[in-house]
Amino acid sequence: MISVPDLHRRLTALNCRTVAIQAPEGLKRFLPRLADELYHLGYDVIISGDPCYGACDLDLDARDQADILVHIGHTPVDGTERVIYEIWPVDGDLSVINEVIPRLTGKEAGLVTTVQHIHLLSQAASLLLGEGIKPIIAGPSPRTPCRGQVLGCSFEAARRTGAQEIIFLGTGLFHPIGIKLATGARVFACDPVTGNIEEPDSDRLLRVRFGLIQKAKGADSYGIIVSSKTGQCRSQLADRLCSLSDKAYRVVLGEVTPDQLLNLGFPCYVNTACPRLAYDDQVRFPAPVLTPGEFEILCGVRDFDHYEVDEII
Ligand code: SF4
């Protein structure tokens, strides 16, 4: 939960009276209560109801009807103005760090996490130090402003540890697989909520992606998806990809949904929007959706041996 008194102080300092509030899908249900609390502090409140998946996905229409947009649950990925960010911390049990220590083979380990567990990182580092393991935590980068922070589209904080073994503190296997592909390190996915520890297997993902590239080779045209969202628009990359094939056309989309891809009817798409779309949502899509690097492989300008996980740098 965010601190409403702290938010009130920030809004007062910025002289805001009308406030738009936005949160990702899992936190949206808290918005009516937040709106109520802000209303009783004297604000006019607008709730953003559109889907939101990250700080790349700011509701600028809602912001423009207000003095400011309060974006909850993420840190900034760009310098969009009149937006303030409120992290939503999620606590967890750090005994998972104690449990992973015997599985480490070296005397140092990279340590990364997602923004909701950022506040646990120092304590996790202390636990490692206490057992003689040197924790390596990379500093901030433009897209990940917290130390040790990774995103589904940026594993820079893992790469910059330079470590052979990396501990990911967080839920799910998408980030750990991305870290493994981005670094080549041995990765331990330590979930502070369930207590599970897994070593992700990236080979299965690579086999699936290789099959998609093969399938896409027969396509007679390619839709190069360009996002209209604030922090996902990679138009220069889309231009470069279009230059690789005379059968490639740019398609501008806000939401990338199976229905839209079905209606557009391309036999293959290349995704320059959120990298997770191609990896996470392929099963829902009616045609192969390649990453930019996979399209380069298809066009013969990159080897599969030099496969790179898609990131927005
Ligand atoms: Fe998250 Fe995708 Fe946005 Fe990156 S581009 S911040 S992975 S939603």
Side-chain angles (χ1 to χ4, degrees):
M1 188 61 184
I2 65 170
S3 163
V4 175
D6 284 352
L7 176 58
H8 180 38
R9 270 190 288 280
R10 295 177 76 188
L11 294 171
T12 303
L14 293 167
N15 207 20
C16 299
R17 296 314 315 159
T18 306
V19 178
I21 54 178
Q22 181 185 28
E25 302 315 286
L27 298 178
K28 265 200 171 65
R29 66 186 184 280
F30 296 104
L31 291 181
R33 196 168 96 203
L34 176 60
D36 195 47
E37 292 186 52
L38 290 173
Y39 174 78
H40 284 98
L41 288 167
Y43 297 98
D44 287 329
V45 184
I46 297 166
I47 296 175
S48 169
D50 281 335
C52 170
Y53 304 102
C56 54
D57 196 1
L58 300 171
D59 189 341
L60 299 185
D61 290 336
R63 181 201 65 177
D64 290 344
Q65 294 178 43
D67 296 323
I68 203 153
L69 173 67
V70 177
H71 180 93
I72 295 163
H74 304 111
T75 49
V77 295
D78 59 23
T80 305
E81 294 180 346
R82 289 200 292 126
V83 183
I84 57 177
Y85 299 82
E86 288 283 338
I87 292 175
W88 188 283
V90 175
D91 281 332
D93 181 355
L94 286 180
S95 60
V96 74
I97 296 292
N98 292 318
E99 282 165 29
V100 80
I101 287 170
R103 293 168 68 165
L104 298 171
T105 57
K107 285 290 168 197
E108 63 176 32
L111 188 56
V112 293
T113 187
T114 49
V115 68
Q116 62 266 40
H117 300 308
I118 273 294
H119 62 296
L120 301 177
L121 212 58
S122 300
Q123 201 186 335
S126 300
L127 290 173
L128 289 170
L129 266 178
E131 295 298 324
I133 307 290
K134 178 184 167 196
I136 308 173
I137 304 177
S141 72
R143 206 165 170 85
T144 50
C146 301
R147 287 176 70 240
Q149 180 190 2
V150 290
L151 281 172
C153 57
S154 174
F155 307 109
E156 184 66 12
R159 200 165 22 243
R160 281 200 279 120
T161 65
Q164 299 300 306
E165 293 180 306
I166 297 178
I167 297 169
F168 167 77
L169 186 64
T171 54
L173 286 178
F174 181 83
H175 295 86
I177 289 174
I179 292 165
K180 192 171 175 62
L181 287 171
T183 64
R186 189 176 178 204
V187 178
F188 298 92
C190 299
D191 189 325
V193 177
T194 64
N196 287 339
I197 300 173
E198 284 191 60
E199 286 191 52
D201 171 17
S202 54
D203 290 348
R204 188 179 166 278
L205 176 86
L206 288 177
R207 281 195 298 275
V208 170
R209 303 312 301 182
F210 183 77
L212 286 166
I213 297 169
Q214 296 306 313
K215 188 174 173 190
K217 277 186 175 159
D220 59 8
S221 58
Y222 303 99
I224 310 290
I225 297 168
V226 186
S227 178
S228 59
K229 295 184 179 184
T230 48
Q232 294 183 15
C233 180
R234 292 187 280 175
S235 52
Q236 287 181 349
L237 173 61
D239 286 346
R240 189 170 64 71
L241 295 173
C242 276
S243 74
L244 297 179
S245 168
D246 57 8
K247 298 186 288 183
Y249 300 93
R250 290 171 54 132
V251 179
V252 178
L253 284 169
E255 292 299 314
V256 181
T257 67
D259 279 352
Q260 282 164 307
L261 300 195
L262 189 65
N263 291 339
L264 282 160
F266 280 96
C268 174
Y269 294 87
V270 183
N271 172 52
T272 70
C274 170
R276 292 196 67 157
L277 284 169
Y279 293 119
D280 274 353
D281 293 347
Q282 179 62 66
V283 288
R284 299 191 303 122
F285 290 140
V289 178
L290 303 184
T291 68
E294 290 164 358
F295 188 59
E296 290 174 345
I297 294 167
L298 184 147
C299 293
V301 296
R302 178 190 290 272
D303 291 333
F304 194 78
D305 289 349
H306 294 104
Y307 188 95
E308 284 182 0
V309 66
D310 187 22
E311 296 178 72
I312 302 179
I313 305 292

